[in-house]
Amino acid sequence: MFGYMGKILRVDLTDGTFKDEVLKEEMVRDYIGGSGIGTKILYDETSAETQALSPENPLIFMTGPFTGTNTPLSGRHAVVSKSPLTNIFAQSDIGGSFGTALKATGYDGIVIKGKAKSPKYLYITDEIIELRDASGVWGKNSYETEELLKAETDMKAEVTCIGPAGEKLVKFASIMSDGKDGRAAGRAGLGAVMGSKNLKAIVAKGSKATPIARPEKLKELIKEFAPKCKEAMQGMTDFGTTVSHVATEESGDMPIKNWMEGSWHEGAEKTCGQAMAERKILVKNYRCKSCFVGCGRVVKIDEGKYAPVDGGGPEYESMAMLGANCMVDDLEAICKANELCNQFGMDTISFGSAVAQAMELYEKGLITLKDTDGLKLEWGSGDALVQLAYKVGNREGIGDLLAEGVVKVAEHYGPEAKKSAVAVKGMDLPAHDPRAFFVLGVQYATSNRGACHLSTYADVLEKGVTYARMGFPEVMDRFEGKDKGRLNAKMQDFCALFDSLKLCKFLMWGGVQEDNIEAWYQAVTGEDISFEELMKRGERIVNLQRMYNYRLGLDRKDDTLPDRILKEPRGSGGAPTQLPPLEQMLEEYYSVRGWDHNGIPTAEKLSELGLGYLCS
């Protein structure tokens, strides 16, 4: 099978055994790779009773057919499991170098079950598979862990690991790669799943090449596409994903003061990518494998109260959630908090949500100085932001509660705190507001992992991108609800393709079109199928994820948005009065999907997708 190594590594941590499993052709045909194959394994090998932090819950690392092929922006892998934060389906996509290194060892992925009796790390090369003692790095942060494990194994190896937050089961703990460059499988708390298994890290180094059916054709396609993509994405190369930070605030898309306000223009100007460059905090940019864009930031701060900072800098989501959503405009404080999240191994989105919620509850008098050991959780406080990173990462004091996520915090403080938990299906919102781009409303409500901007990424079609072959030849009105259900469904399937092939979704800003995906797939795999046939596989994956959640009891009642987003206008900024027409969009979405009124895939739809066995 071109594009694949042809096997998956099975690891049982309980008894310390390994087993090679053949990657079956029908699995590849139906689910492609990455999160698609991960979803299939998770569904088949768990039940509704499987607990997220139990030894029985599998932790699945999976590459895709494009990983290791030089297909543009394909240096990625997926991590799939049941989330301890939301207790539903979870996938977290990550760039960097580890996925490529894993595939070079001869494996398309790893499925990990059980729990080791003591801390371990997994070491994989062309010839070696070993579980090694990790007591020497247990308790170390992600930067230290990578450095120590490379020294112990091979300096050219790649490491993916958890920090102290994962060890302490912080419910939004991330899995980190690339050391100081801070690539993260951030959302849904899969670092806690890894910690619950006493698995500190996986170290991989291989020399095997991914087989490509038509290598010369792929080279030709890349040569044609790359210059146009580079030109289109030059702003991201220069200033990272915060290149449009000010414009994002002006449009009303940026979360401000725990989603309560609409304008923060001066703050956005102080915390944008251009400001990082002007103040010489930015040292250079970082590129994942197979990437020629380099949107990653490398920052360095040697002086001041938040020094030292040395490593991966905040991207847009981090900058907005740690900055605007907490009203913090101190760039050094944001960079420090971002670095602490990387070192502890915590999702910056969920951590920023937790801090903003805590600041709101402090303002309302529900959280007191007694709760915080004297730390004033005032809006805009850089000190509070940084100190809470230590407290949450170590589960100390108020941090122990915040580490449970915003929904649990709201439950703890009672009805008055309910609105402070801005989340869907237990997952706090990422840094884009559905009141500014309506498709985000149905996107967040129907995402299978909870509120997520990347499981659909449909708002790019409200911001300038078009896809004629999918039926969207023109940029769509962001304040119009009509046709957004169809848009969401199609883009969910499209993004399922990206997550399974292993492509970075920033390619959409680089001009990637349906024809590119089709041609790259045919060149890599040698399978001459159409883009529309690939989209059918994406649809199958989305429906299987939906059925996983349905087995857990989720349906239409869970496809909703928090009241703050549905019912409370922002009052100022680029979207001062608009509210997303969720019910209108949902009805259209279910209809396009072939689901019933309760949002359940019908027997006819499941049979059409080869999932008829789920009806029994």
PDB file of all heavy atoms in Angstrom, residues 197-226:
ATOM      1  N   LYS A 197      -1.676   6.381  32.374  1.00  0.00           N
ATOM      2  CA  LYS A 197      -1.067   5.101  32.003  1.00  0.00           C
ATOM      3  C   LYS A 197       0.391   4.995  32.478  1.00  0.00           C
ATOM      4  O   LYS A 197       1.081   4.028  32.170  1.00  0.00           O
ATOM      5  CB  LYS A 197      -1.134   4.923  30.481  1.00  0.00           C
ATOM      6  CG  LYS A 197      -2.563   4.844  29.960  1.00  0.00           C
ATOM      7  CD  LYS A 197      -2.603   4.617  28.464  1.00  0.00           C
ATOM      8  CE  LYS A 197      -4.028   4.524  27.960  1.00  0.00           C
ATOM      9  NZ  LYS A 197      -4.814   3.437  28.584  1.00  0.00           N
ATOM     10  N   ASN A 198       0.852   6.022  33.215  1.00  0.00           N
ATOM     11  CA  ASN A 198       2.251   6.076  33.654  1.00  0.00           C
ATOM     12  C   ASN A 198       3.217   6.075  32.474  1.00  0.00           C
ATOM     13  O   ASN A 198       4.341   5.580  32.577  1.00  0.00           O
ATOM     14  CB  ASN A 198       2.594   4.913  34.599  1.00  0.00           C
ATOM     15  CG  ASN A 198       2.306   5.255  36.046  1.00  0.00           C
ATOM     16  OD1 ASN A 198       2.273   6.423  36.426  1.00  0.00           O
ATOM     17  ND2 ASN A 198       2.072   4.242  36.859  1.00  0.00           N
ATOM     18  N   LEU A 199       2.783   6.645  31.360  1.00  0.00           N
ATOM     19  CA  LEU A 199       3.636   6.753  30.177  1.00  0.00           C
ATOM     20  C   LEU A 199       4.105   8.194  30.044  1.00  0.00           C
ATOM     21  O   LEU A 199       3.308   9.095  29.769  1.00  0.00           O
ATOM     22  CB  LEU A 199       2.874   6.320  28.921  1.00  0.00           C
ATOM     23  CG  LEU A 199       3.675   6.327  27.621  1.00  0.00           C
ATOM     24  CD1 LEU A 199       4.811   5.318  27.653  1.00  0.00           C
ATOM     25  CD2 LEU A 199       2.758   6.054  26.425  1.00  0.00           C
ATOM     26  N   LYS A 200       5.378   8.418  30.254  1.00  0.00           N
ATOM     27  CA  LYS A 200       5.921   9.775  30.227  1.00  0.00           C
ATOM     28  C   LYS A 200       6.176  10.264  28.807  1.00  0.00           C
ATOM     29  O   LYS A 200       5.965  11.440  28.499  1.00  0.00           O
ATOM     30  CB  LYS A 200       7.229   9.822  31.028  1.00  0.00           C
ATOM     31  CG  LYS A 200       7.931  11.173  31.038  1.00  0.00           C
ATOM     32  CD  LYS A 200       7.128  12.246  31.754  1.00  0.00           C
ATOM     33  CE  LYS A 200       7.915  13.546  31.869  1.00  0.00           C
ATOM     34  NZ  LYS A 200       7.163  14.608  32.542  1.00  0.00           N
ATOM     35  N   ALA A 201       6.657   9.365  27.934  1.00  0.00           N
ATOM     36  CA  ALA A 201       7.092   9.830  26.614  1.00  0.00           C
ATOM     37  C   ALA A 201       7.167   8.670  25.635  1.00  0.00           C
ATOM     38  O   ALA A 201       7.183   7.489  26.011  1.00  0.00           O
ATOM     39  CB  ALA A 201       8.455  10.509  26.711  1.00  0.00           C
ATOM     40  N   ILE A 202       7.215   9.025  24.359  1.00  0.00           N
ATOM     41  CA  ILE A 202       7.577   8.102  23.282  1.00  0.00           C
ATOM     42  C   ILE A 202       8.723   8.746  22.531  1.00  0.00           C
ATOM     43  O   ILE A 202       8.659   9.930  22.170  1.00  0.00           O
ATOM     44  CB  ILE A 202       6.399   7.832  22.332  1.00  0.00           C
ATOM     45  CG1 ILE A 202       5.161   7.379  23.101  1.00  0.00           C
ATOM     46  CG2 ILE A 202       6.789   6.796  21.279  1.00  0.00           C
ATOM     47  CD1 ILE A 202       3.918   7.277  22.231  1.00  0.00           C
ATOM     48  N   VAL A 203       9.773   7.973  22.310  1.00  0.00           N
ATOM     49  CA  VAL A 203      10.950   8.449  21.584  1.00  0.00           C
ATOM     50  C   VAL A 203      11.068   7.617  20.311  1.00  0.00           C
ATOM     51  O   VAL A 203      11.027   6.387  20.363  1.00  0.00           O
ATOM     52  CB  VAL A 203      12.228   8.304  22.431  1.00  0.00           C
ATOM     53  CG1 VAL A 203      13.441   8.854  21.676  1.00  0.00           C
ATOM     54  CG2 VAL A 203      12.058   9.017  23.777  1.00  0.00           C
ATOM     55  N   ALA A 204      11.193   8.277  19.173  1.00  0.00           N
ATOM     56  CA  ALA A 204      11.226   7.563  17.895  1.00  0.00           C
ATOM     57  C   ALA A 204      12.363   8.063  17.006  1.00  0.00           C
ATOM     58  O   ALA A 204      12.610   9.264  16.916  1.00  0.00           O
ATOM     59  CB  ALA A 204       9.897   7.724  17.163  1.00  0.00           C
ATOM     60  N   LYS A 205      13.026   7.111  16.372  1.00  0.00           N
ATOM     61  CA  LYS A 205      14.033   7.440  15.356  1.00  0.00           C
ATOM     62  C   LYS A 205      14.062   6.313  14.337  1.00  0.00           C
ATOM     63  O   LYS A 205      14.290   5.159  14.684  1.00  0.00           O
ATOM     64  CB  LYS A 205      15.425   7.616  15.963  1.00  0.00           C
ATOM     65  CG  LYS A 205      16.493   7.975  14.923  1.00  0.00           C
ATOM     66  CD  LYS A 205      17.858   8.118  15.553  1.00  0.00           C
ATOM     67  CE  LYS A 205      18.895   8.559  14.515  1.00  0.00           C
ATOM     68  NZ  LYS A 205      19.123   7.508  13.492  1.00  0.00           N
ATOM     69  N   GLY A 206      13.809   6.641  13.091  1.00  0.00           N
ATOM     70  CA  GLY A 206      13.811   5.626  12.043  1.00  0.00           C
ATOM     71  C   GLY A 206      14.472   6.127  10.782  1.00  0.00           C
ATOM     72  O   GLY A 206      14.773   7.311  10.632  1.00  0.00           O
ATOM     73  N   SER A 207      14.661   5.207   9.856  1.00  0.00           N
ATOM     74  CA  SER A 207      15.314   5.553   8.592  1.00  0.00           C
ATOM     75  C   SER A 207      14.523   5.088   7.381  1.00  0.00           C
ATOM     76  O   SER A 207      14.983   5.217   6.249  1.00  0.00           O
ATOM     77  CB  SER A 207      16.711   4.915   8.544  1.00  0.00           C
ATOM     78  OG  SER A 207      16.622   3.496   8.627  1.00  0.00           O
ATOM     79  N   LYS A 208      13.328   4.550   7.604  1.00  0.00           N
ATOM     80  CA  LYS A 208      12.541   4.008   6.503  1.00  0.00           C
ATOM     81  C   LYS A 208      11.783   5.134   5.780  1.00  0.00           C
ATOM     82  O   LYS A 208      11.255   6.038   6.414  1.00  0.00           O
ATOM     83  CB  LYS A 208      11.558   2.960   7.027  1.00  0.00           C
ATOM     84  CG  LYS A 208      12.225   1.721   7.607  1.00  0.00           C
ATOM     85  CD  LYS A 208      11.183   0.723   8.105  1.00  0.00           C
ATOM     86  CE  LYS A 208      11.824  -0.591   8.521  1.00  0.00           C
ATOM     87  NZ  LYS A 208      12.623  -0.452   9.737  1.00  0.00           N
ATOM     88  N   ALA A 209      11.717   5.032   4.466  1.00  0.00           N
ATOM     89  CA  ALA A 209      11.018   6.021   3.653  1.00  0.00           C
ATOM     90  C   ALA A 209       9.589   5.573   3.382  1.00  0.00           C
ATOM     91  O   ALA A 209       9.323   4.382   3.173  1.00  0.00           O
ATOM     92  CB  ALA A 209      11.747   6.239   2.332  1.00  0.00           C
ATOM     93  N   THR A 210       8.675   6.522   3.384  1.00  0.00           N
ATOM     94  CA  THR A 210       7.297   6.219   3.014  1.00  0.00           C
ATOM     95  C   THR A 210       7.228   5.904   1.526  1.00  0.00           C
ATOM     96  O   THR A 210       7.682   6.714   0.708  1.00  0.00           O
ATOM     97  CB  THR A 210       6.379   7.418   3.325  1.00  0.00           C
ATOM     98  OG1 THR A 210       6.442   7.721   4.716  1.00  0.00           O
ATOM     99  CG2 THR A 210       4.940   7.125   2.938  1.00  0.00           C
ATOM    100  N   PRO A 211       6.697   4.762   1.159  1.00  0.00           N
ATOM    101  CA  PRO A 211       6.627   4.421  -0.272  1.00  0.00           C
ATOM    102  C   PRO A 211       5.614   5.303  -1.000  1.00  0.00           C
ATOM    103  O   PRO A 211       4.490   5.511  -0.520  1.00  0.00           O
ATOM    104  CB  PRO A 211       6.186   2.959  -0.260  1.00  0.00           C
ATOM    105  CG  PRO A 211       5.475   2.769   1.038  1.00  0.00           C
ATOM    106  CD  PRO A 211       6.148   3.682   2.014  1.00  0.00           C
ATOM    107  N   ILE A 212       6.012   5.826  -2.154  1.00  0.00           N
ATOM    108  CA  ILE A 212       5.162   6.714  -2.950  1.00  0.00           C
ATOM    109  C   ILE A 212       4.955   6.081  -4.317  1.00  0.00           C
ATOM    110  O   ILE A 212       5.919   5.663  -4.973  1.00  0.00           O
ATOM    111  CB  ILE A 212       5.809   8.102  -3.095  1.00  0.00           C
ATOM    112  CG1 ILE A 212       6.025   8.732  -1.710  1.00  0.00           C
ATOM    113  CG2 ILE A 212       4.959   9.018  -3.967  1.00  0.00           C
ATOM    114  CD1 ILE A 212       6.855   9.991  -1.727  1.00  0.00           C
ATOM    115  N   ALA A 213       3.718   6.011  -4.757  1.00  0.00           N
ATOM    116  CA  ALA A 213       3.407   5.340  -6.018  1.00  0.00           C
ATOM    117  C   ALA A 213       4.009   6.066  -7.216  1.00  0.00           C
ATOM    118  O   ALA A 213       4.581   5.445  -8.116  1.00  0.00           O
ATOM    119  CB  ALA A 213       1.889   5.217  -6.181  1.00  0.00           C
ATOM    120  N   ARG A 214       3.898   7.385  -7.232  1.00  0.00           N
ATOM    121  CA  ARG A 214       4.349   8.184  -8.381  1.00  0.00           C
ATOM    122  C   ARG A 214       5.190   9.356  -7.879  1.00  0.00           C
ATOM    123  O   ARG A 214       4.727  10.507  -7.854  1.00  0.00           O
ATOM    124  CB  ARG A 214       3.146   8.678  -9.182  1.00  0.00           C
ATOM    125  CG  ARG A 214       2.265   7.541  -9.707  1.00  0.00           C
ATOM    126  CD  ARG A 214       0.892   8.021 -10.125  1.00  0.00           C
ATOM    127  NE  ARG A 214       0.008   6.893 -10.419  1.00  0.00           N
ATOM    128  CZ  ARG A 214      -1.315   6.978 -10.526  1.00  0.00           C
ATOM    129  NH1 ARG A 214      -1.918   8.147 -10.354  1.00  0.00           N
ATOM    130  NH2 ARG A 214      -2.034   5.897 -10.787  1.00  0.00           N
ATOM    131  N   PRO A 215       6.413   9.072  -7.438  1.00  0.00           N
ATOM    132  CA  PRO A 215       7.222  10.128  -6.808  1.00  0.00           C
ATOM    133  C   PRO A 215       7.522  11.304  -7.716  1.00  0.00           C
ATOM    134  O   PRO A 215       7.527  12.453  -7.252  1.00  0.00           O
ATOM    135  CB  PRO A 215       8.497   9.392  -6.391  1.00  0.00           C
ATOM    136  CG  PRO A 215       8.521   8.143  -7.197  1.00  0.00           C
ATOM    137  CD  PRO A 215       7.105   7.781  -7.438  1.00  0.00           C
ATOM    138  N   GLU A 216       7.774  11.052  -8.983  1.00  0.00           N
ATOM    139  CA  GLU A 216       8.083  12.158  -9.889  1.00  0.00           C
ATOM    140  C   GLU A 216       6.864  13.044 -10.103  1.00  0.00           C
ATOM    141  O   GLU A 216       6.980  14.271 -10.196  1.00  0.00           O
ATOM    142  CB  GLU A 216       8.597  11.618 -11.226  1.00  0.00           C
ATOM    143  CG  GLU A 216       9.942  10.927 -11.131  1.00  0.00           C
ATOM    144  CD  GLU A 216      11.006  11.819 -10.488  1.00  0.00           C
ATOM    145  OE1 GLU A 216      11.083  13.021 -10.840  1.00  0.00           O
ATOM    146  OE2 GLU A 216      11.746  11.321  -9.610  1.00  0.00           O
ATOM    147  N   LYS A 217       5.706  12.431 -10.181  1.00  0.00           N
ATOM    148  CA  LYS A 217       4.476  13.205 -10.327  1.00  0.00           C
ATOM    149  C   LYS A 217       4.238  14.063  -9.094  1.00  0.00           C
ATOM    150  O   LYS A 217       3.849  15.235  -9.209  1.00  0.00           O
ATOM    151  CB  LYS A 217       3.287  12.255 -10.549  1.00  0.00           C
ATOM    152  CG  LYS A 217       1.941  12.958 -10.701  1.00  0.00           C
ATOM    153  CD  LYS A 217       1.924  13.880 -11.908  1.00  0.00           C
ATOM    154  CE  LYS A 217       0.552  14.507 -12.121  1.00  0.00           C
ATOM    155  NZ  LYS A 217       0.530  15.468 -13.261  1.00  0.00           N
ATOM    156  N   LEU A 218       4.480  13.502  -7.903  1.00  0.00           N
ATOM    157  CA  LEU A 218       4.306  14.271  -6.677  1.00  0.00           C
ATOM    158  C   LEU A 218       5.249  15.463  -6.650  1.00  0.00           C
ATOM    159  O   LEU A 218       4.850  16.575  -6.288  1.00  0.00           O
ATOM    160  CB  LEU A 218       4.521  13.379  -5.452  1.00  0.00           C
ATOM    161  CG  LEU A 218       4.287  14.053  -4.098  1.00  0.00           C
ATOM    162  CD1 LEU A 218       2.847  14.511  -3.944  1.00  0.00           C
ATOM    163  CD2 LEU A 218       4.673  13.113  -2.954  1.00  0.00           C
ATOM    164  N   LYS A 219       6.506  15.258  -7.036  1.00  0.00           N
ATOM    165  CA  LYS A 219       7.477  16.359  -7.093  1.00  0.00           C
ATOM    166  C   LYS A 219       6.993  17.468  -8.022  1.00  0.00           C
ATOM    167  O   LYS A 219       7.102  18.657  -7.726  1.00  0.00           O
ATOM    168  CB  LYS A 219       8.835  15.840  -7.561  1.00  0.00           C
ATOM    169  CG  LYS A 219       9.586  15.006  -6.542  1.00  0.00           C
ATOM    170  CD  LYS A 219      10.913  14.542  -7.119  1.00  0.00           C
ATOM    171  CE  LYS A 219      11.650  13.617  -6.161  1.00  0.00           C
ATOM    172  NZ  LYS A 219      12.921  13.125  -6.746  1.00  0.00           N
ATOM    173  N   GLU A 220       6.465  17.058  -9.147  1.00  0.00           N
ATOM    174  CA  GLU A 220       5.960  18.019 -10.135  1.00  0.00           C
ATOM    175  C   GLU A 220       4.802  18.831  -9.560  1.00  0.00           C
ATOM    176  O   GLU A 220       4.731  20.053  -9.721  1.00  0.00           O
ATOM    177  CB  GLU A 220       5.511  17.247 -11.382  1.00  0.00           C
ATOM    178  CG  GLU A 220       4.900  18.091 -12.470  1.00  0.00           C
ATOM    179  CD  GLU A 220       4.338  17.220 -13.583  1.00  0.00           C
ATOM    180  OE1 GLU A 220       4.964  16.188 -13.923  1.00  0.00           O
ATOM    181  OE2 GLU A 220       3.254  17.564 -14.109  1.00  0.00           O
ATOM    182  N   LEU A 221       3.899  18.143  -8.855  1.00  0.00           N
ATOM    183  CA  LEU A 221       2.741  18.818  -8.258  1.00  0.00           C
ATOM    184  C   LEU A 221       3.169  19.795  -7.167  1.00  0.00           C
ATOM    185  O   LEU A 221       2.629  20.907  -7.065  1.00  0.00           O
ATOM    186  CB  LEU A 221       1.777  17.777  -7.687  1.00  0.00           C
ATOM    187  CG  LEU A 221       1.061  16.878  -8.699  1.00  0.00           C
ATOM    188  CD1 LEU A 221       0.378  15.720  -7.983  1.00  0.00           C
ATOM    189  CD2 LEU A 221       0.040  17.676  -9.508  1.00  0.00           C
ATOM    190  N   ILE A 222       4.122  19.379  -6.347  1.00  0.00           N
ATOM    191  CA  ILE A 222       4.618  20.248  -5.274  1.00  0.00           C
ATOM    192  C   ILE A 222       5.311  21.473  -5.858  1.00  0.00           C
ATOM    193  O   ILE A 222       5.111  22.605  -5.389  1.00  0.00           O
ATOM    194  CB  ILE A 222       5.573  19.468  -4.350  1.00  0.00           C
ATOM    195  CG1 ILE A 222       4.820  18.365  -3.612  1.00  0.00           C
ATOM    196  CG2 ILE A 222       6.244  20.409  -3.337  1.00  0.00           C
ATOM    197  CD1 ILE A 222       5.721  17.402  -2.855  1.00  0.00           C
ATOM    198  N   LYS A 223       6.115  21.248  -6.879  1.00  0.00           N
ATOM    199  CA  LYS A 223       6.849  22.354  -7.510  1.00  0.00           C
ATOM    200  C   LYS A 223       5.894  23.393  -8.076  1.00  0.00           C
ATOM    201  O   LYS A 223       6.159  24.599  -8.028  1.00  0.00           O
ATOM    202  CB  LYS A 223       7.746  21.806  -8.624  1.00  0.00           C
ATOM    203  CG  LYS A 223       8.642  22.843  -9.260  1.00  0.00           C
ATOM    204  CD  LYS A 223       9.563  22.209 -10.296  1.00  0.00           C
ATOM    205  CE  LYS A 223      10.481  23.257 -10.929  1.00  0.00           C
ATOM    206  NZ  LYS A 223      11.376  22.652 -11.948  1.00  0.00           N
ATOM    207  N   GLU A 224       4.766  22.938  -8.574  1.00  0.00           N
ATOM    208  CA  GLU A 224       3.767  23.851  -9.138  1.00  0.00           C
ATOM    209  C   GLU A 224       3.015  24.605  -8.054  1.00  0.00           C
ATOM    210  O   GLU A 224       2.730  25.800  -8.178  1.00  0.00           O
ATOM    211  CB  GLU A 224       2.785  23.054  -9.998  1.00  0.00           C
ATOM    212  CG  GLU A 224       1.679  23.891 -10.602  1.00  0.00           C
ATOM    213  CD  GLU A 224       0.668  23.049 -11.364  1.00  0.00           C
ATOM    214  OE1 GLU A 224       0.888  21.827 -11.518  1.00  0.00           O
ATOM    215  OE2 GLU A 224      -0.358  23.618 -11.784  1.00  0.00           O
ATOM    216  N   PHE A 225       2.699  23.910  -6.963  1.00  0.00           N
ATOM    217  CA  PHE A 225       1.855  24.499  -5.922  1.00  0.00           C
ATOM    218  C   PHE A 225       2.621  25.383  -4.948  1.00  0.00           C
ATOM    219  O   PHE A 225       2.129  26.438  -4.524  1.00  0.00           O
ATOM    220  CB  PHE A 225       1.149  23.380  -5.151  1.00  0.00           C
ATOM    221  CG  PHE A 225       0.332  23.850  -3.988  1.00  0.00           C
ATOM    222  CD1 PHE A 225      -0.928  24.393  -4.176  1.00  0.00           C
ATOM    223  CD2 PHE A 225       0.822  23.767  -2.690  1.00  0.00           C
ATOM    224  CE1 PHE A 225      -1.700  24.831  -3.101  1.00  0.00           C
ATOM    225  CE2 PHE A 225       0.069  24.201  -1.599  1.00  0.00           C
ATOM    226  CZ  PHE A 225      -1.193  24.734  -1.811  1.00  0.00           C
ATOM    227  N   ALA A 226       3.817  24.976  -4.572  1.00  0.00           N
ATOM    228  CA  ALA A 226       4.531  25.609  -3.463  1.00  0.00           C
ATOM    229  C   ALA A 226       4.746  27.110  -3.617  1.00  0.00           C
ATOM    230  O   ALA A 226       4.492  27.866  -2.663  1.00  0.00           O
ATOM    231  CB  ALA A 226       5.865  24.902  -3.240  1.00  0.00           C
TER     232      ALA A 226
END
